[in-house]
Each structure stands twice: as structure tokens, then as C-alpha cells.
Amino acid sequence: MKLLISLMIVLMASFANAFSYTHSLSEAELQQEIEKVMPIVKKKYFLTMTLSNPKINLIEGSNELGLRSDINVSAPGVMKGDGRAHIVGKLEYNQAQGAFYFKKARLLELTMKGIPPDILPDIKKAAQSSLTRSLSKRPIYVLKDNDIKQQIAKSTLQSIEVKNQALHLTFSVL
């Protein structure tokens, strides 16, 4: 009896896997997609921040996405500076839109030239807040409606995994 139950469980698991679909995206493909939403210009009070020239990095083991970008900060008549920002976050799937968004973004590093050191912490705080909101509102990748597999797969996301410098999206078709 135990053997029969075990066999049924194995068969059911195999049957379920037969109806899954995995779509892989390379860093280069994600790079092309992120370039479509850049530059990002965010104004907060009198401060304007612009992110441009993004570079995507898939972080294996954590299933996170890294984003390095040029950043320009200016306050008219007060200051102007530029540098690099390194942001890390997770991709979250919006089933209704078939789109992946950059969520839970964390500003890991911000280096700036032309900004007085005493106000750099305030710039970092403003950048964290503004960039997190801006990045979370723009899809990083949208499943294609003209690809029948992707169109069917929109229904259920099983997992997101970074492996071998590619993002593997596994969907359950059932």
C-alpha cells in the first residue's frame, strides 16, 4: 500500500512538471529591457535626480537583481553633482499585467562628486526613497502576447531563479 501511494505521488509530481514552462532571460536581454525605461528623472522638493546608463547584474544564490547606474543630482543655484549608484532588489510578478517589477530596492552604494560631504547622507536618503518608488512602478520585463507559450504562462508563476547568469522564470500552465 505504501508503495502504491509513493508511486502515485511520484507520478503526480511528474505529471505536474510536464505542464510547466520555463522562460530564461539572459543579462543582455534584461539589459535591453531596462534601457527602455531609462533615464529615470525624479524630482523631490527642489532636488532633481536622474538615473542613466544602467548596467544589470544578476546575483546568483540570492535571486536578486543588481542595477548600477550613473546618477546626477542637482538643486538649481545650490549644487550639482554626479556619480554612481548601486541598487539591489527582487523581481516581483504582476499576474494581471504579465509584468515583472523591481521591488524592495535597496541603495547599497552611492558615490558622488561635487556634493558637499555633510549633505551626502541627506542625498542618500532622498535617493533611496525616490528611486525605490520610481523603479517599482516601471516594469523591467513584460511577457509577450505574441508568444503563445508566454501568453498561456501568464497564469501562474511558480518560481524565479538566477542560475548561470540568466533569469529562469518557471510557470505552471495548469
Side-chain angles (χ1 to χ4, degrees):
M1 183 66 162
K2 287 182 183 179
L3 180 61
L4 181 61
I5 291 174
S6 298
L7 182 61
M8 288 180 64
I9 291 172
V10 169
L11 287 174
M12 289 174 66
S14 298
F15 182 73
N17 286 337
F19 291 99
S20 66
Y21 165 68
T22 299
H23 182 69
S24 297
L25 296 166
S26 68
E27 276 187 358
E29 289 172 303
L30 286 169
Q31 181 69 35
Q32 288 177 345
E33 295 297 320
I34 194 73
E35 286 173 357
K36 291 177 185 176
V37 299
M38 292 282 190
I40 294 175
V41 178
K42 189 66 179 169
K43 295 182 181 194
K44 187 169 185 169
Y45 309 119
F46 62 93
L47 196 64
T48 302
M49 286 180 269
T50 305
L51 279 182
S52 59
N53 300 321
K55 176 69 175 126
I56 289 288
N57 179 33
L58 294 171
I59 304 169
E60 203 152 332
S62 69
N63 293 335
E64 289 185 314
L65 182 69
L67 174 65
R68 291 188 185 273
S69 177
D70 292 341
I71 185 167
N72 179 281
V73 178
S74 64
V78 179
M79 70 175 166
K80 183 174 174 116
D82 55 71
R84 295 285 291 164
H86 181 205
I87 304 160
V88 172
K90 293 207 174 269
L91 284 182
E92 287 187 12
Y93 180 61
N94 179 311
Q95 182 179 345
Q97 298 173 351
F100 292 87
Y101 290 87
F102 194 76
K103 298 285 187 165
K104 299 178 184 171
R106 303 177 315 280
L107 180 64
L108 295 184
E109 183 182 337
L110 179 65
T111 56
M112 299 290 301
K113 295 176 198 160
I115 302 292
D118 59 322
I119 65 168
L120 191 56
D122 294 328
I123 298 292
K124 283 183 179 181
K125 194 181 295 182
Q128 172 70 48
S129 171
S130 295
L131 299 176
T132 297
R133 273 182 287 179
S134 294
L135 288 169
S136 71
K137 292 179 182 177
R138 299 166 185 204
I140 298 293
Y141 184 77
V142 179
L143 293 172
K144 313 273 188 283
D145 281 333
N146 60 355
D147 181 330
I148 191 71
K149 286 183 182 178
Q150 289 185 39
Q151 195 174 25
I152 292 170
K154 281 184 180 182
S155 60
T156 308
L157 176 68
Q158 281 182 323
S159 67
I160 298 175
E161 182 182 23
V162 175
K163 191 166 75 174
N164 301 326
Q165 294 301 306
L167 185 66
H168 300 280
L169 311 168
T170 303
F171 299 90
S172 172
V173 179
L174 291 177

